[in-house]
Structure formats: structure tokens, C-alpha cells
Amino acid sequence: MELLCHQQRHQTSVLWPEDIDRRLNILVRTAAAAGERTSRAELLAALVAAAETNPETLASLLHHYRRMPTDALAEDRERSDLPVVRSPGPRRTASS
């Protein structure tokens, strides 16, 4: 049996607010706190796979997001209770 998470990859580009991007990083760190090693891409895939396909449910979710004030995710800025997760790949070196 082939698993969905092992299918061929498709790259996408997402343009969204900075606080949403920060929230995704917090969710990856939250998964790490639960003992899960994951990536932003895998977490997004899991959230999309779990999303309801009911039109009213999806519309409600969109309406809720569109009405969120700019400070709705402010508590995500400082989350010292979560582990720091380093992204895979080569590390940048400080230039002198």
C-alpha cells in the first residue's frame, strides 16, 4: 500500500501575512514538543488533508479568518515554552 505522504511532490508558493507564517513555525514547534519531527510543508499537507470539504464549514472558516484582528496571533511572538526547531539544509554562516 502506498501512503499519501510518500506520493510525488508538487511545489507551491504561498504568499500570506507574516503572523500566519510565524504561526506555522509555532505549529511546527508545537509538534516537536509532542515528539514529532516534521516540516512546515508536511504540517501544511496534514492540515489540508484534514480540512472539511463541506462548503458551509469551509465558508465559515474563511469568514472567521477574514474577521480576525491584526493582533489575533500576538501570543505566538514569544513562545519560550516550545522547543526551537532548526530547518533542514545547510546552515548560513555569519559574514564578516
Side-chain angles (χ1 to χ4, degrees):
M1 171 180 73
E2 184 179 354
L3 298 176
L4 179 62
C5 64
H6 295 148
Q7 281 186 345
Q8 183 175 349
R9 302 284 190 232
H10 178 82
Q11 186 171 344
T12 186
S13 177
V14 178
L15 184 64
W16 54 20
E18 288 179 2
D19 281 356
I20 297 297
D21 196 64
R22 185 178 301 112
R23 177 67 164 205
L24 179 56
N25 290 335
I26 291 296
L27 293 174
V28 170
R29 292 173 60 196
T30 302
E36 293 293 329
R37 287 190 58 182
T38 191
S39 65
R40 291 165 47 100
E42 183 179 43
L43 183 54
L44 282 173
L47 292 170
V48 169
E52 291 288 328
T53 57
N54 176 285
E56 290 78 23
T57 302
L58 193 55
S60 177
L61 182 70
L62 283 167
H63 294 167
H64 174 75
Y65 168 70
R66 290 173 180 158
R67 290 189 304 265
M68 292 177 81
T70 57
D71 63 348
L73 303 177
E75 74 267 2
D76 285 348
R77 292 200 174 102
E78 296 297 325
R79 290 298 304 264
S80 59
D81 60 316
L82 297 174
V84 175
V85 176
R86 295 179 8 178
S87 300
R91 305 284 176 246
R92 292 187 202 184
T93 57
S95 57
S96 16

